[in-house]
Amino acid sequence: MKSLPAVFRSPMTWLLVIVAVAAVVVFTGNGDDTTDTVDTPIDTETGPIDVYGDFLTPYSDTDAGAGLTIPRVRATLLDGRSTELGPDGTARLIGFFAHWCPHCQAEVPVVRRWLENTTLPDGFEMIAVSTAVDPSGGNYPPSEWFAREDWQTPVILDDSAGSMAAAYGLTRFPYWVAVDADGTVVSRTTGELTEAQLDGLVELAVGSTAGVAP
């Protein structure tokens, strides 16, 4: 049998080999641990969206979508609660807003004042949707924007892909969808609305004029 070279017959050589192997094992193990424990930032400005049913056709000035039925949406509200939106016996006005949109920034305080001065009918709900969130855009984050404006109605968080906006046919901001208690679209429109126009959408949704609080 051929004998080992002299260098491998030395105890010191084997000690150095053992130490080197142990160092490799420790280094590899520490690397795995570091990778496994990296924290991923949590985006609290968007939320998961699940859509069930047919999407509304994209809005255009010649197609208000009257007669279409809104899809059912499962979503998360700004306060962290889960919610479901769809045909459920409640008439609604749904406003879609982007924090960076100057027209949305102008409209939100108008709607807030309108809500303060208006008694909405029974069986009617105003919903806001925060969508098209962009951390590089102005007026970010939208949660602080709604807080500054003292917004009092539920705010749904769209996901980062804008799934709810797409499901409701959004093409421009601000975007409005008025639906009756059966979840049927009675009107869609875009742009900044006056308080009188908001009253008109409520009337279409419930069939009676929203009363003005004394």
Side-chain angles (χ1 to χ4, degrees):
M1 178 182 295
K2 189 175 182 180
S3 61
L4 291 171
V7 66
F8 289 111
R9 294 199 298 268
S10 169
M12 182 58 69
T13 297
W14 285 109
L15 177 60
L16 292 174
V17 170
I18 292 170
V19 169
V21 170
V24 170
V25 171
V26 170
F27 177 80
T28 303
N30 286 343
D32 288 344
D33 290 344
T34 301
T35 301
D36 290 343
T37 58
V38 169
D39 292 330
T40 300
I42 298 174
D43 181 6
T44 58
E45 301 299 326
T46 61
I49 294 288
D50 295 314
V51 180
Y52 306 89
D54 295 334
F55 283 24
L56 301 183
T57 56
Y59 171 80
S60 71
D61 294 333
T62 59
D63 176 17
L68 299 175
T69 299
I70 59 171
R72 188 171 298 278
V73 174
R74 289 179 182 170
T76 301
L77 296 173
L78 186 59
D79 61 10
R81 292 179 297 146
S82 297
T83 190
E84 186 168 310
L85 191 66
D88 58 5
T90 299
R92 293 183 173 92
L93 177 59
I94 307 166
F96 289 76
F97 306 106
H99 62 89
W100 45 262
C101 165
H103 298 289
C104 298
Q105 294 169 14
E107 182 74 331
V108 162
V110 172
V111 180
R112 191 244 310 149
R113 288 192 298 270
W114 169 71
L115 290 168
E116 290 174 347
N117 297 322
T118 301
T119 300
L120 298 177
D122 292 338
F124 178 87
E125 183 179 34
M126 170 72 200
I127 294 283
V129 180
S130 175
T131 187
V133 174
D134 180 2
S136 67
N139 204 34
Y140 181 85
S143 58
E144 294 183 5
W145 172 40
F146 282 103
R148 286 195 306 271
E149 293 295 344
D150 194 28
W151 188 270
Q152 297 298 313
T153 79
V155 179
I156 289 177
L157 301 179
D158 203 352
D159 63 17
S160 58
S163 297
M164 184 167 176
Y168 275 70
L170 180 149
T171 55
R172 297 194 295 271
F173 294 104
Y175 179 56
W176 302 94
V177 181
V179 299
D180 65 16
D182 295 326
T184 302
V185 176
V186 296
S187 182
R188 294 191 297 177
T189 190
T190 61
E192 297 175 37
L193 302 184
T194 65
E195 294 190 24
Q197 289 172 314
L198 292 167
D199 280 340
L201 290 177
V202 175
E203 181 178 359
L204 288 173
V206 300
S208 62
T209 305
V212 178

